[in-house]
Amino acid sequence: MIPGGGQPDMQALLQQAQKMQQDLARAQEELAQAEVSGQAGGGLVRATVTGSGELRALVIDPKAVDPEDTETLADLVVAAVQAANENASALAQEKLGPLAQGLGGGGMPGLPF
């Protein structure tokens, strides 16, 4: 309800919504271009993902490769990718969280916050 019983300025509300939509699109594009990393095994395995979660690189130190124990290597790869994705989620929260709150929601569909 507007103080004094007046009607909201629909044109101003529409402009504000359009600006927020543009800001959100810009932040999503920045997020898709940003890269974050995660590691496991003390850095023996490193994964790099975009802010939107796309795996871009995986680096495995030769010391982590034991032909007799590929299960441990697989676990390290999974852990590194999970760490990178957690960092991507934190970046998404940082970039998109304030915009989502401005839209009146506590979070955004499809995002882990």
Side-chain angles (χ1 to χ4, degrees):
M1 181 136 222
I2 303 295
Q7 294 294 319
D9 182 351
M10 295 306 284
Q11 184 65 27
L13 287 174
L14 180 59
Q15 288 174 345
Q16 182 181 8
Q18 288 173 335
K19 182 186 180 317
M20 289 175 69
Q21 187 176 25
Q22 291 168 347
D23 291 346
L24 181 59
R26 189 176 317 109
Q28 287 173 324
E29 179 60 29
E30 288 175 14
L31 192 58
Q33 298 302 317
E35 290 187 350
V36 293
S37 296
Q39 64 178 2
L44 291 175
V45 177
R46 295 182 311 274
T48 301
V49 299
T50 65
S52 58
E54 178 188 345
L55 181 63
R56 288 277 174 94
L58 184 64
V59 177
I60 300 172
D61 188 301
K63 292 181 239 166
V65 181
D66 178 358
E68 301 296 318
D69 186 14
T70 58
E71 188 174 313
T72 297
L73 177 57
D75 290 344
L76 290 173
V77 169
V78 169
V81 172
Q82 285 176 336
N85 279 326
E86 288 171 8
N87 291 337
S89 291
L91 181 62
Q93 174 65 35
E94 179 184 316
K95 292 247 182 219
L96 301 178
L99 293 172
Q101 291 171 355
L103 294 172
M108 296 189 63
L111 292 176
F113 52 87

